[in-house]
């Protein structure tokens, strides 16, 4: 079977792709926003700079997905990001949660980026070529992010009693939310059948086993008796997102028709 | 590389029998335009003045990241959001470069950070004020970065090698900040009434700190003479201020912006200089001593960030030393 271009998409396939792209775009935007909350406030200048740089990348990746959405007839990236309400967002709860301490931020970054790496590896083969192209294009930057995430886990996981405790606490707290990255949707079957993306459950399984190994290597224990927290993909979010969107949209909404 | 202060030769009249001769040779070198490097003979006063200046400069970069950083969550639109995170990240990077330059003179970074948050060392007057609206962010990025560039370009020609090289790189990045700031101001100045008013209001509030940015008038500045002889500083405060005004006041007028009337701004055709009512330098000194509207907040924020990061710094140091805490044995 040949790869699909925009013109050839069947309506329900297009709807499924749009839904997937919103999940990807919103996850990256909200996480980028959260991570940029450290800019100027990081624990050391070097970590501050690295985290800011990755926050920008995440926002840039979000922009790439919003542009794909625009090609499919959805609103332009700014309108989409700055004028949608919380219930229209499709991000998972992991990215919505407040910044927390540095451990929460680096563990979230690690869990999310490992999930993204596994997803993007699959998306590089996607039969929806525009998406496959983006996944291939972002590979290099993402590689840097996962390297950074693993390095943080390695260094902080068992360096001191306090760092170990904080990292383990963050892992315990975030893990159910991280499983929520792979919340199945009604489009799973269509996306899988059309060769656009493997089923969420399948991606989740790969992620879980790889993340468990990495945690163990860093002296951390991945919780294995917890269930996922779902809802984000259906527009149900923790309160944290509302506050975030109020903050993010407040200037833009003063005058949505103007250039800022 | 950090050079501990205790190991620095104390080159002053008491500590160095050949001081007068060495000083003459040093001043001749500097006058020729030679760069002074960390291991070279330098008068103790030169070292102390440079540490003071670089430290204040580094503090200013790190404190400057706060008013703008506070607006990152509110930046309207992808373009502004990305540019602002990148700008603030650069400012943090500048602090890092500058702390490193100061370390070559024997002052460890940790000590400089401690002195900043304890209020012992100063930072630029402009960061003692609140950024109240989005237009403040635009004005900071345009006019304050512009004013800083005038200063930093000059300092980059100075005699101390590590500081001069750090400043060259900083100036390169500042040029992007200026473009980003000017672009934001153009959008606001040519936008809706709400946006134009917001921008003018920001100018009205920021004009005083901007006029004070280059420091007290030459009549009042106590360090200028020796700093200029040692080529740490190449232009007086007033000369820098005029350079800034000549370049940017016409651009402001072009955007339809005005300068608050109480300054009685006028251009003197004869001297080709701007004339204005002199800023209140006592107020300036009071502000940089930590009594500005946002001074307490800035230090509180820096202190909190520093304290919250303590466990990370400790852990990273332990990790670098190869330490691991015993890990509980896996159950299965
Ligand atoms: Fe800077
Ligand atoms: Fe700057």
């Amino acid at each position: 079977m040949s790869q699909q271009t925009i013109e050839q998409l069947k309506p329900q396939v297009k709807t499924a792709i749009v839904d997937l792209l919103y999940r990807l775009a919103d996850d990256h935007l909200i996480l980028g926003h959260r991570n940029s909350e450290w800019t100027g406030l990081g624990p050391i200048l070097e970590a501050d700079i690295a985290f800011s740089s990755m926050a920008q990348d995440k926002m840039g990746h979000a922009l790439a997905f919003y542009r794909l959405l625009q090609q499919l007839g959805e609103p332009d990236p700014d309108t989409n990001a700055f004028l949608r309400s919380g219930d229209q967002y499709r991000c998972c709860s992991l990215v919505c949660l407040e910044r927390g301490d540095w451990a929460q931020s680096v563990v979230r970054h690690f869990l999310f980026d490992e999930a993204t790496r596994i997803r993007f590896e699959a998306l590089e083969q996607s039969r929806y070529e525009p998406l496959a192209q983006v996944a291939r294009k972002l590979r290099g930057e993402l590689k840097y992010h996962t390297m950074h995430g693993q390095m943080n886990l390695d260094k902080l996981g068992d360096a001191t009693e306090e760092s170990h405790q904080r990292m383990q606490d963050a892992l315990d707290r975030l893990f159910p939310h991280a499983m929520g990255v792979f919340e199945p949707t009604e489009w799973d079957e269509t996306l899988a059948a059309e060769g656009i993306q493997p089923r969420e459950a399948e991606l989740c399984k790969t992620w879980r086993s790889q993340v468990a190994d990495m945690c163990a290597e860093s002296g951390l224990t991945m919780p294995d008796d917890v269930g996922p927290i779902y809802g984000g993909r259906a527009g149900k979010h923790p309160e944290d997102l509302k506050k975030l969107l109020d903050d993010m949209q407040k200037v833009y909404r003063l005058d949505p028709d103007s250039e800022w | 590389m950090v050079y501990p202060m205790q190991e620095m030769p104390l080159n002053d009249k008491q500590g160095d029998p050949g001081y007068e001769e060495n000083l003459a040779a040093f001043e001749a070198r500097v006058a020729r335009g030679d760069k002074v490097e960390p291991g070279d003979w330098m008068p103790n006063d030169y070292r102390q003045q440079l540490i003071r200046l670089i430290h204040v400069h580094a503090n200013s970069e790190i404190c400057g990241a706060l008013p703008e950083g506070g607006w990152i969550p509110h930046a309207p639109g992808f373009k502004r959001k990305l540019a602002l995170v990148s700008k603030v990240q650069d400012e943090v990077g500048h602090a890092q470069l500058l702390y490193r330059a100061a370390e070559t003179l024997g002052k460890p970074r940790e000590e400089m950070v401690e002195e900043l948050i304890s209020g012992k060392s100063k930072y630029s007057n402009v960061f003692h004020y609140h950024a109240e609206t989005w237009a403040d962010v635009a004005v900071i990025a345009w006019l304050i970065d512009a004013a800083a560039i005038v200063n930093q370009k000059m300092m980059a020609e100075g005699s101390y090698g590590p500081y001069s090289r750090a400043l060259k790189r900083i100036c390169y990045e500042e040029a992007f900040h200026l473009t980003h700031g000017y672009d934001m101001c153009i959008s606001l100045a040519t936008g809706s009434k709400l946006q134009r008013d917001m921008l003018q209001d920001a100018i009205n509030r920021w004009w005083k700190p901007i006029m004070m940015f280059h420091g007290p008038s030459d009549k009042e500045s106590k360090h200028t003479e020796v700093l200029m002889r040692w080529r740490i500083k190449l232009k007086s405060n007033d000369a820098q201020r005029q350079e800034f005004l000549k370049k940017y006041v016409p651009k402001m007028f072009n955007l339809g912006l005005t300068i608050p009337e109480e300054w009685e701004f006028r251009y003197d055709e004869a001297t080709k200089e701007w004339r204005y009512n002199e800023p209140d330098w006592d107020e300036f000194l009071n502000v940089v001593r930590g009594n500005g509207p946002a001074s307490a907040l800035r230090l509180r924020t820096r202190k909190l960030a520093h304290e919250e990061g303590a466990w990370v710094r400790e852990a990273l140091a332990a990790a670098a030393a190869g330490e691991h805490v015993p890990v509980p044995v896996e159950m299965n």
Side-chain angles (χ1 to χ4, degrees), chain A residues 29 33 36-46 48-49 52-53 55-56 59-60 62-63 66 77-78 81-82 99 101-103 155-156 158-164 166-167 216 219-221 224 247-248 250-252 254-255 258-260, chain B residues 62 65-66 69 71-82 85-86 88-89 92-93 95-96 99-100 109 134 184 187-188 191-192 194-195 198 301-302 305-306 308-309 311-316 318-319 323-328 330 332:
Chain A
L29 173 63
H33 180 105
S36 75
E37 290 175 348
W38 280 107
T39 304
L41 302 170
I44 46 168
L45 299 175
E46 289 74 8
D48 191 315
I49 293 164
S52 294
S53 156
Q56 286 166 67
M59 293 179 202
L63 190 54
Y66 285 122
D78 276 348
F82 290 87
R99 192 196 75 176
D101 68 350
W102 184 251
K155 283 190 179 171
L156 299 175
D158 64 352
T160 63
E161 300 275 357
E162 185 177 3
S163 76
H164 173 73
R166 282 179 183 262
M167 295 290 281
L220 298 167
T221 314
D224 56 3
D247 280 342
M248 190 171 89
K250 79 171 190 186
V251 177
Y252 193 87
L254 286 177
D255 210 336
S258 292
E259 283 275 328
W260 283 94
Chain B
I62 195 99
L66 298 178
W71 280 90
I72 290 173
H74 314 301
F78 273 101
K79 184 173 155 195
R80 300 304 182 209
K81 204 171 173 70
L82 285 165
V85 184
S86 156
V88 179
Q89 181 197 342
V92 176
Q96 187 199 10
Y99 282 134
R100 216 184 283 152
R109 191 207 275 188
W134 174 252
M184 284 196 284
S187 288
L188 296 176
S192 63
L194 177 142
Q195 291 174 314
M198 198 187 227
T301 311
R302 270 289 6 124
H306 191 67
E308 279 186 341
W311 71 269
V312 185
R313 291 189 298 276
E314 240 166 66
L316 292 177
E323 290 164 26
H324 301 277
V325 290
V327 173
E330 294 265 354
N332 51 352

Side-chain angles (χ1 to χ4, degrees), chain B residues 57 61 87 90-92 94-95 98 145 148 152 170 174 177:
Chain B
H57 188 177
E61 299 281 359
K87 177 189 193 283
D90 285 350
E91 308 298 9
V92 176
H94 297 169
L98 292 164
D145 277 57
Q152 290 169 3
I170 289 173
E174 291 297 347
H177 303 177

Side-chain angles (χ1 to χ4, degrees), chain A residues 31 34-35 38 51 93-94 96-111 156 166-167 169-171 173-174 177 240, chain B residues 311:
Chain A
L31 186 62
R34 279 296 181 217
N35 286 349
W38 280 107
F51 223 59
S93 60
L94 178 69
C96 298
L97 301 178
E98 280 187 349
R99 192 196 75 176
D101 68 350
W102 184 251
Q104 163 135 328
S105 285
V106 298
V107 169
R108 163 159 63 189
H109 167 75
F110 162 75
L111 293 171
L156 299 175
R166 282 179 183 262
M167 295 290 281
D169 286 350
L171 187 59
R173 197 162 54 239
L174 294 175
H177 294 281
D240 313 46
Chain B
W311 71 269

Side-chain angles (χ1 to χ4, degrees), chain A residues 92-224:
Chain A
C92 59
S93 60
L94 178 69
V95 297
C96 298
L97 301 178
E98 280 187 349
R99 192 196 75 176
D101 68 350
W102 184 251
Q104 163 135 328
S105 285
V106 298
V107 169
R108 163 159 63 189
H109 167 75
F110 162 75
L111 293 171
F112 180 83
D113 279 350
E114 291 305 323
T116 306
R117 175 179 60 78
I118 285 154
R119 187 184 300 277
F120 279 21
E121 276 166 9
L123 289 179
E124 284 192 30
Q125 318 301 321
S126 176
R127 281 188 54 244
Y128 184 52
E129 184 52 24
L131 182 54
Q133 271 173 15
V134 168
R136 287 195 288 268
K137 203 174 131 219
L138 304 184
R139 186 198 296 152
E141 282 179 0
L142 184 64
K143 192 165 177 198
Y144 173 78
H145 293 203
T146 49
M147 225 176 65
H148 198 269
Q150 290 167 19
M151 188 189 76
N152 266 318
L153 205 72
D154 244 25
K155 283 190 179 171
L156 299 175
D158 64 352
T160 63
E161 300 275 357
E162 185 177 3
S163 76
H164 173 73
Q165 199 53 53
R166 282 179 183 262
M167 295 290 281
Q168 186 63 52
D169 286 350
L171 187 59
D172 293 344
R173 197 162 54 239
L174 294 175
F175 199 75
H177 294 281
M179 289 169 73
V181 171
F182 304 100
E183 175 177 349
T185 71
E186 57 180 305
W187 305 111
D188 265 26
E189 290 310 316
T190 310
L191 291 170
E194 296 289 326
I196 290 161
Q197 187 200 257
R199 288 172 190 80
E200 294 292 331
E202 201 178 306
L203 295 170
C204 186
K205 212 173 131 205
T206 314
W207 170 81
R208 241 187 123 128
S209 76
Q210 295 189 11
V211 160
D213 290 347
M214 290 172 185
C215 287
E217 275 168 36
S218 303
L220 298 167
T221 314
M222 194 182 87
D224 56 3

